[in-house]
Amino acid sequence: MTTRKKKTSVISPGSTGHPSSWTFLKDQLRRDPRCAVLFLDTELTCLLASPPIDPGLSVPLIGEGLLRLWLYDQRCPTGLRDTVQHAAGPRLLDALDQRLSNVRHGPVSGDTWNDLADDPSLVDEWARAAWSYACQRAREYRNAHGIIALVGGASAAEAIALPFTLTGGEETPGTIRDADGREITQWTLAVGKLTGLVNGSTFRVVLRCHDGPRTRSLEGGSFALAVLAALQREKGIIADYDPLDVLFTGDLDAAGSLLNVSGIPAKTQLAQRLGISLFVYPGTIQKSPDRLAIPPGTPARECIDRIARHLDALGMDSLNARQANQRIRELKNEIHEGLLPLEQAVRRLDRYESVFHGEPGSEYANEGMIYAAMLRGAMANHGGDPETGRGHLHRAAQLAQQSKNPLVQMHSLGNMIVSLTDLGLLDEAENEARDLLKWVSTEFHGNTEEKIEARMVAAGVLGGQPLLQKALADPSLAAESLELLGQALDNARQLQQNPEIARDASQIALWYALLDPLNAPAQIEIAQREIRACGKDGDVSEQFLCNYRFLAAYRAILGNFPRNLHGGTTSVSSADNLPDMFRCFTDWPLPQAEDWLLGTALKCRGCLHAVAGHADGALADFEQACAKLGHGNQVLIRFIGATAALQAADSLRLTHPAKSKDFAQQAHAVFESIKDILYGPHRDPSWIARARILAKGADPQGTDNPQLRYRY
């Protein structure tokens, strides 16, 4: 990140009014005392040589000086150290030495920070204020998800470290905001290119500074790699490094490839002052193990793979069993939701299991091994090996029973029911789920919160899994399914568990999309409000809502407008065939994901385009959908891809007959290849029969359409 040279030139004695002069810098500070966080070290040195008398200016200045001493430790530039020591005085320096230096590394609790900020040895009001400022700033660095190297001075000769945090719930993913929530537009534009690389995360980046003239002078995109790495660290894809121990710099182009950036020498010096263990930058020359040069032009995903390997080689993973336990639960959701490739999931699971093996006997490790067995089972099922999957799930159930933790056992059984539903074993899944609900009602032992959580899981898994899928063929089950989902959401609200609130709210929206599509738009709006109130915990669920908008419209066409399914028409006026609430479908955002979630949304939108007479738009969407869903070793995803190809053949039969036959043949080949692996609605012979009819170019009207009984 660089600053415009005319606004932040290198500091040296100069005439009044020169950008490098004491008077000019004091005037900047007077206009906005909060800009002290963005002063270069040489600028701080200049001002602290003769601090302003006004406490409103001297407090943030001296506080920032103390922060830099803490941040750089013994590596602080001599000039800055001397001026801070002279301006701060012995009591503040003693407090820094004896109290704040102990929290330079490792996690720190909120109570510890509160104790630190209250130092009874500081009697002067200005000293207490400066100390409080320094503690607050140190807390921002310790709680940061990463740091950005900001470069300034003549010829980009100097850099400082600015901390940032990641939060969720942003309408425009990748928005950059200051500490007060104001958008910093020029940075948002630069980071927007990351949104396609982070699988549906509605993230925002919060800079620990305040918007003002100094912030607006910042330009460039060299923070992109730092933000991307922080996002991957939060998802557990790379090592859980200390954010103050790794410095990243690098821009990304629109295609997601690494670009060169300026100011590498200044950033290298900053890394040395910070005592950084690893400095990652665009380049081809790597001088030492504590530096990682990645050649410009390297795709972002390969950049992350290189960073992950280098962090592991340096042993910089601070993940413990407690943290790995939490990460493995998040991984479970991502696997079930198809948000990452199985190969990547396996690497992460291997990493978490190695952490658990390193802490044998730990409660978190024992519980984590249960979740690991669940995930192995789910991945085997998705990979088309249900027998191996059952073995892993049986192992998870055994471990859960041995743990004598009924809540863990509950989650293990719930995960097994989800896997059975995914495979199409709906009767078995329903029986297991009803037994689970009965067990919770009559035999489950735990405290009040645990009982509520157990009811939430049991109701949600029965209502949202086998009953919802079976209700597509047997509407008599629909009301019970919705009632159970409502109970699960009420339980989640009681527990104030945001991830579960978001998931259950989105499940209710799915119910409406599948079974009552004309009322789904209103329900989706209700769910969206509740999910956004969950902040970052609602990121993934909000992407599912994007999918459900298209799914509801698609289901409305399937159920109420079957005349439009068989080729559509070339007349744009045929959009009148769509219910009013769905005619603006071209304005709806697609899910920001790269896997089945986006693929199924494109399948639905392709059908809508065909009904509206947009034949070329339909073809483009269907081709994208099949490209995303037709590859890899996940049998369930390939099956969903075949349903998209079958719908493409159906919708394009009259407008693109040759393409229609190609899609039908593609669907037929997949259905044939996996018909003996999956069960239930996946094995319905109507899939193959319909694909054969369309492969011949014949009209399937009047024949059974299995899409009506399938949730994707």
Side-chain angles (χ1 to χ4, degrees):
M1 190 65 57
T2 58
T3 59
R4 292 180 185 145
K5 298 171 189 173
K6 66 178 182 179
K7 295 210 175 181
T8 54
S9 57
V10 68
I11 300 301
S12 61
S15 60
T16 301
H18 190 275
S20 63
S21 73
W22 184 91
T23 303
F24 179 84
L25 293 170
K26 179 192 172 186
D27 188 53
Q28 282 199 326
L29 188 66
R30 181 184 56 79
R31 288 200 302 268
D32 184 8
R34 300 176 304 179
C35 77
V37 304
L38 294 174
F39 280 145
L40 302 173
D41 291 340
T42 47
E43 293 175 321
L44 270 181
T45 303
C46 176
L47 283 167
L48 286 168
S50 180
I53 298 174
D54 181 355
L57 304 184
S58 62
V59 163
L61 201 59
I62 293 172
E64 188 63 29
L66 290 168
L67 179 279
R68 302 285 172 95
L69 287 186
W70 171 82
L71 196 59
Y72 301 149
D73 198 16
Q74 301 301 314
R75 300 166 298 274
C76 186
T78 303
L80 177 60
R81 184 180 64 244
D82 291 346
T83 53
V84 174
Q85 289 175 344
H86 180 267
R91 287 190 175 177
L92 279 171
L93 294 174
D94 286 346
L96 182 69
D97 235 14
Q98 297 167 16
R99 294 168 65 80
L100 202 54
S101 60
N102 297 327
V103 296
R104 179 62 174 79
H105 299 284
V108 188
S109 70
D111 289 340
T112 301
W113 286 115
N114 294 335
D115 292 342
L116 282 172
D118 183 19
D119 190 333
S121 71
L122 302 173
V123 293
D124 294 331
E125 186 176 342
W126 77 268
R128 288 199 302 271
W131 177 249
S132 176
Y133 177 102
C135 287
Q136 176 57 36
R137 289 280 289 137
R139 186 175 188 172
E140 289 175 355
Y141 279 88
R142 287 305 316 141
N143 292 341
H145 291 111
I147 54 177
I148 296 170
L150 299 180
V151 175
S155 303
E158 191 176 349
I160 59 170
L162 180 67
F164 68 87
T165 54
L166 303 170
T167 62
E170 187 66 56
E171 283 192 32
T172 304
T175 298
I176 308 289
R177 298 190 182 276
D178 74 352
D180 294 324
R182 289 189 292 266
E183 183 177 358
I184 303 176
T185 309
Q186 73 272 26
W187 287 33
T188 294
L189 293 174
V191 84
K193 65 194 75 172
L194 294 178
T195 56
L197 301 171
V198 291
N199 284 336
S201 177
T202 57
F203 70 97
R204 78 172 56 156
V205 181
V206 180
L207 304 178
R208 307 319 301 180
C209 65
H210 300 273
D211 190 21
R214 279 232 155 199
T215 324
R216 296 182 198 118
S217 72
L218 300 169
E219 57 190 17
S222 65
F223 60 90
L225 188 61
V227 173
L228 180 60
L231 288 163
Q232 304 308 302
R233 172 183 174 271
E234 286 299 292
K235 294 175 81 66
I237 293 172
I238 62 178
D240 196 43
Y241 58 84
D242 183 341
L244 283 183
D245 211 19
V246 184
L247 182 64
F248 299 93
T249 185
D251 196 3
L252 297 169
D253 63 20
S257 297
L258 188 66
L259 295 174
N260 265 320
V261 294
S262 61
I264 295 296
K267 294 170 184 176
T268 302
Q269 289 181 356
L270 174 64
Q272 292 168 345
R273 289 201 304 277
L274 292 168
I276 290 294
S277 296
L278 178 60
F279 176 38
V280 183
Y281 58 95
T284 55
I285 301 175
Q286 188 164 316
K287 298 179 180 179
S288 60
D290 62 351
R291 299 185 191 179
L292 175 59
I294 301 178
T298 302
R301 297 189 190 281
E302 186 179 336
C303 290
I304 291 300
D305 284 343
R306 291 190 183 205
I307 291 166
R309 290 195 296 270
H310 207 84
L311 289 169
D312 290 343
L314 292 176
M316 294 185 66
D317 196 345
S318 62
L319 201 67
N320 57 35
R322 181 178 181 275
Q323 294 164 327
N325 186 299
Q326 179 59 39
R327 293 281 176 83
I328 208 168
R329 294 169 188 244
E330 297 167 359
L331 180 61
K332 176 178 77 73
N333 295 332
E334 292 179 63
I335 290 173
H336 177 62
E337 292 155 1
L339 295 178
L340 76 167
L342 280 185
E343 296 80 6
Q344 191 180 95
V346 168
R347 287 200 301 271
R348 285 168 61 179
L349 185 55
D350 289 343
R351 178 167 155 248
Y352 300 151
E353 283 188 300
S354 70
V355 173
F356 299 141
H357 287 306
E359 298 185 33
S362 157
E363 178 185 347
Y364 292 113
N366 291 341
E367 188 177 291
M369 291 303 295
I370 297 169
Y371 281 102
M374 293 182 200
L375 290 186
R376 297 285 183 196
M379 288 190 289
N381 289 339
H382 279 248
D385 188 358
E387 290 306 313
T388 299
R390 281 175 180 252
H392 285 301
L393 292 170
H394 181 66
R395 172 65 176 158
Q398 285 182 321
L399 291 172
Q401 193 169 16
Q402 292 169 13
S403 74
K404 297 182 180 179
N405 183 330
L407 201 55
V408 173
Q409 190 174 357
M410 155 70 59
H411 283 287
S412 173
L413 293 170
N415 191 77
M416 181 180 69
I417 292 162
V418 171
S419 291
L420 291 172
T421 304
D422 283 343
L423 289 170
L425 294 165
L426 302 183
D427 289 338
E428 187 175 342
E430 182 185 356
N431 291 336
E432 292 283 354
R434 291 194 183 280
D435 287 345
L436 184 62
L437 192 60
K438 182 179 179 181
W439 176 65
V440 168
S441 302
T442 59
E443 300 179 38
F444 183 87
H445 299 290
N447 60 37
T448 301
E449 284 195 359
E450 288 173 338
K451 288 179 179 178
I452 294 172
E453 183 171 348
R455 288 198 297 270
M456 175 186 72
V457 173
V461 78
L462 175 58
Q465 293 297 322
L467 288 191
L468 181 56
Q469 174 66 67
K470 293 181 79 171
L472 293 173
D474 182 0
S476 68
L477 297 171
E480 184 185 7
S481 170
L482 183 59
E483 181 182 357
L484 288 166
L485 289 172
Q487 290 175 14
L489 179 56
D490 288 341
N491 293 147
R493 289 169 179 154
Q494 280 182 273
L495 296 170
Q496 297 182 346
Q497 291 188 2
N498 281 346
E500 301 301 330
I501 291 172
R503 187 176 299 112
D504 290 332
S506 71
Q507 277 290 100
I508 291 174
L510 172 61
W511 186 97
Y512 276 90
L514 290 170
L515 299 172
D516 189 6
L518 296 181
N519 288 313
Q523 189 62 43
I524 288 170
E525 294 304 316
I526 293 171
Q528 186 172 59
R529 287 194 292 272
E530 185 142 31
I531 288 168
R532 287 184 175 173
C534 295
K536 188 177 180 180
D537 291 324
D539 279 359
V540 171
S541 294
E542 184 151 10
Q543 296 309 306
F544 273 73
L545 289 188
C546 293
N547 180 290
Y548 298 159
R549 284 191 179 89
F550 293 105
L551 180 62
Y554 173 67
R555 297 292 303 183
I557 293 169
L558 281 181
N560 299 304
F561 299 91
R563 63 184 180 278
N564 296 319
L565 288 178
H566 312 296
T569 172
T570 57
S571 169
V572 175
S573 64
S574 65
D576 293 340
N577 291 323
L578 285 170
D580 290 343
M581 66 199 71
F582 301 132
R583 291 183 189 174
C584 59
F585 72 90
T586 54
D587 297 330
W588 298 342
L590 287 165
Q592 294 185 10
E594 287 299 313
D595 296 299
W596 73 268
L597 197 61
L598 177 57
T600 52
L602 288 167
K603 166 190 171 179
C604 296
R605 194 176 74 171
C607 182
L608 298 179
H609 272 306
V611 171
H614 311 151
D616 291 339
L619 176 60
D621 276 354
F622 284 130
E623 286 180 335
Q624 287 187 61
C626 293
K628 290 185 178 298
L629 296 167
H631 303 290
N633 59 358
Q634 298 188 52
V635 172
L636 290 172
I637 303 300
R638 286 173 55 213
F639 181 87
I640 297 172
T643 72
L646 186 65
Q647 185 59 61
D650 220 342
S651 294
L652 300 173
R653 187 177 64 84
L654 297 181
T655 58
H656 293 82
K659 288 285 186 182
S660 172
K661 291 180 181 179
D662 289 343
F663 279 121
Q665 290 166 359
Q666 176 183 330
H668 184 270
V670 175
F671 291 142
E672 282 283 2
S673 68
I674 62 178
K675 66 181 181 181
D676 296 326
I677 298 175
L678 301 175
Y679 304 90
H682 305 93
R683 199 178 277 189
D684 188 331
S686 298
W687 293 113
I688 292 176
R690 195 172 185 86
R692 284 174 177 163
I693 292 171
L694 288 165
K696 297 175 182 177
D699 186 349
Q701 191 163 8
T703 62
D704 185 32
N705 187 353
Q707 305 270 16
L708 287 163
R709 299 184 295 278
Y710 193 61
R711 65 193 296 174
Y712 301 117

